[in-house]
Structure formats: C-alpha cells, structure tokens
Amino acid sequence: MQIVTSKDLLRGALSKYRGSHQTVVFVPTMGALHEGHRTLMAKARQIAGEDGVVVASIFVNPIQFDNPSDLSSYPRTMEQDLAICANEGVNYVFTPSAQDMYADQRSIIIDETSLSGKLCGASRPGHFAGVCTVVAKLFNLVQPTDAVFGKKDYQQLAIIRRMVRDLDFPIRIHGAEIVRHEDGLAYSSRNVRLSEENRAAAPVLYQTLLEAKQQFAEGKSLDEIKQIAESKIMDSGATKIDYLEIVNRETMQEPQSKEEPLLMALAVFYGDVRLIDNIEL
Ligand code: AMP
C-alpha cells in the first residue's frame, strides 16, 4: 500500500492508470475509520477484482463543517486508519493537507440546489456545497471508474449521484448498506465522543426506525409515525431532535403519497454529539 500525501504525488502515482482499462475504485473518507468504512473498502476491493486498484482518501474537509467546534473535535486516528486500509487491500491512500487541497483565494464551489434543501442540508448550511466541492475535486484527482458511498449518509449519496449525472463524471456510484453495532447503533466516527450514558441510550434510534417501518407497513399515517418516534427518542434522554422526517428517497422532498419510495431520516443530539440514521420504509 502506498501513502500519498499531496495532489502532485497522487497524480504521479496514478498516471499509469490513465487511459488503461483498469478498474479504479475510490472510497472517500474523513478518517477515524471503523467497521462502516471497512465494509466500504471491502466492497471496493470486490468491485475492483484482483487486478483492479482501490484508492481511499482520508481528509477532514474543513469547508463542509458548519460548526468550528465539530471540526476541531473531529477524531483523528491516522496510524490506526492506515493499518485498516492496508488490511482491506487498499492500494493507495491519499492524505492531503487542507493547504494543499485548497488554493488561497479559491472562488469556485459546486452546490446542489434541489436534493439538499431538507434534512442535513437545512440544518447545516453550506454543508453539501462543501461535500460536492471536495468530492468533485477528489474525482478529478483520482479519476476513478467507480466510487463507493455509504447509505448512512443517504442524502449525501443521492446528491453525489445527482452531481455525477448532471456534471457528466464518467464514474459509477455504488451505495453500501449501513453497518451497525450489535445493539443497532450505526457505526460513526462521532460515537467515541458519546458519554457512557448517552452511548447506552443511542441504540433507541435504530429501534425507533425499525418500529416506524413496522407501523408504516401496518398503515399508520406518516404524521402519527413521526410523533410516536419523536416521543420515544426524547424519552430515551436525547438532548434535542435536529430533524426527524419522512421524505421521498430519490428527491429528498416531502412525499405527496405513501406509494412513493420513502425514507425516514433523523439527526439527534445526545449531549453535543449529533448522530444521524435512516431507514427505507
Ligand atoms: P465519513 O468518514 O464519515 O465522511 O464517511 C465516509 C464514507 O463512509 C461515507 O460514504 C459514509 O456514508 C460511509 N459510512 C460512514 N459510516 C457508515 C456506516 N455505519 N455504514 C456504512 N457506511 C458508512
């Protein structure tokens, strides 16, 4: 496995794959790697096959953080991360600095103007412009044939699919299922910041989503399902519900009917730690 610390070195390292017929599969991450990322990398290895190339990036992208303290407290575990990448058969890990990634007076951003209106887009202004901008830059640098994203960030996955379609990136986007702890809590780099008490309470999020799916199948109204879910989460000792919504899972807009493909998505604070999760209904 090769560790590549700058854009110039990355271009040099990957130049031999340009114009070749080799599959190059890319997994972007912000590090603090866990089972969720590991699964993405295993999926990337599977797509690449024995002869293909897997590239992962580890970059805590400052421009997608709307909250400076979330950025400064974001866990950083580079040595452990590199060991995980090596174990999962990653060929190249790209670990640029923010100074290398962003020119001093950069003045172009890529924004998405429809799918990003609700959920995380509404509660974290500028977040998806930061995500789209960095992912577009990484796609240009790596020039992968394929890229893998987790359904944990369902809205992000939908927005990346839209960006690839609308801006003609010749890249296949693959979605990976959410990986969970045994008690149901979705793996997240932010879980390590939960207090013991909040860590014990947080699995209620997935229990609530499962119950909502069941209630939906039984024919309860969307409003009723949301109300039951909100009470259950607040009773568990959550600090605040940032959002809890049922949306069309392709458009991320409010559904007009229960026949549409639906997603229930939530963001909940336990203390100052914001957790997200979702389920397809
Ligand atoms: P992050 O490092 O949080 O930016 O996440 C990098 C990628 O890993 C994104 O595509 C996430 O959706 C994905 N990911 C994070 N946590 C999980 C999880 N628990 N299950 C599946 N994918 C995940």
Side-chain angles (χ1 to χ4, degrees):
M1 186 177 83
Q2 209 173 313
I3 300 160
V4 188
T5 54
S6 75
K7 296 198 287 194
D8 282 345
L9 291 171
L10 185 77
R11 285 194 196 95
L14 300 184
S15 61
K16 56 179 174 282
Y17 305 111
R18 306 285 182 247
S20 74
H21 291 288
Q22 206 136 16
T23 306
V24 177
V25 189
F26 178 45
V27 183
T29 83
M30 297 204 299
L33 302 183
H34 49 63
E35 282 306 307
H37 300 108
R38 205 191 271 280
T39 306
L40 259 51
M41 289 172 188
K43 189 176 172 91
R45 185 74 265 162
Q46 208 178 15
I47 296 164
E50 267 183 32
D51 299 334
V53 178
V54 176
V55 182
S57 62
I58 297 176
F59 178 58
V60 182
N61 175 33
I63 71 164
Q64 73 184 67
F65 284 80
D66 51 311
N67 173 345
S69 80
D70 189 26
L71 173 61
S72 61
S73 64
Y74 201 83
R76 288 161 172 86
T77 57
M78 186 58 86
E79 247 175 69
Q80 198 183 310
D81 292 352
L82 295 174
I84 290 176
C85 293
N87 250 313
E88 294 304 325
V90 171
N91 301 102
Y92 299 91
V93 187
F94 179 42
T95 61
S97 66
Q99 293 89 313
D100 185 36
M101 277 300 274
Y102 292 112
D104 270 350
Q105 277 145 9
R106 64 187 182 83
S107 54
I108 303 276
I109 55 161
I110 297 184
D111 206 356
E112 195 286 329
T113 56
S114 175
L115 304 179
S116 47
K118 289 171 86 72
L119 311 179
C120 289
S123 63
R124 302 181 67 188
H127 171 67
F128 285 120
V131 169
C132 287
T133 303
V134 79
V135 172
K137 283 163 71 68
L138 290 166
F139 281 175
N140 284 332
L141 289 163
V142 176
Q143 297 185 26
T145 54
D146 299 76
V148 186
F149 291 83
K151 288 190 183 179
K152 162 101 185 324
D153 301 86
Y154 206 100
Q155 188 177 21
Q156 169 176 281
L157 171 60
I159 289 171
I160 298 297
R161 285 192 197 282
R162 180 62 65 95
M163 180 177 82
V164 162
R165 187 196 76 177
D166 287 2
L167 298 184
D168 302 301
F169 283 98
I171 301 171
R172 287 179 290 264
I173 302 298
H174 304 263
E177 295 305 321
I178 302 176
V179 182
R180 300 178 179 282
H181 289 271
E182 258 180 35
D183 60 14
L185 178 64
Y187 275 93
S188 163
S189 304
R190 292 185 175 85
N191 290 352
V192 295
R193 296 188 46 238
L194 290 167
S195 69
E196 209 174 310
E197 193 185 346
N198 286 334
R199 173 63 190 82
V204 81
L205 298 180
Y206 185 48
Q207 290 158 18
T208 305
L209 290 169
L210 284 176
E211 284 171 21
K213 190 176 169 81
Q214 178 67 30
Q215 290 153 9
F216 178 73
E218 288 163 4
K220 277 212 165 62
S221 77
L222 301 186
D223 280 343
E224 209 179 343
I225 294 171
K226 285 193 282 186
Q227 267 166 21
I228 297 170
E230 280 172 8
S231 315
K232 183 165 171 120
I233 289 169
M234 289 316 293
D235 288 350
S236 77
T239 309
K240 189 178 103 178
I241 296 177
D242 184 12
Y243 64 75
L244 186 156
E245 291 195 54
I246 297 174
V247 295
N248 178 306
R249 63 178 177 251
E250 282 151 20
T251 64
M252 299 286 137
Q253 307 296 327
E254 189 146 336
Q256 303 305 311
S257 99
K258 288 174 85 179
E259 310 312 314
E260 295 174 39
L262 298 180
L263 181 80
M264 180 154 160
L266 52 79
V268 174
F269 281 94
Y270 282 92
D272 65 348
V273 184
R274 181 176 175 277
L275 301 177
I276 60 170
D277 204 345
N278 65 75
I279 199 164
E280 292 174 352
L281 294 181

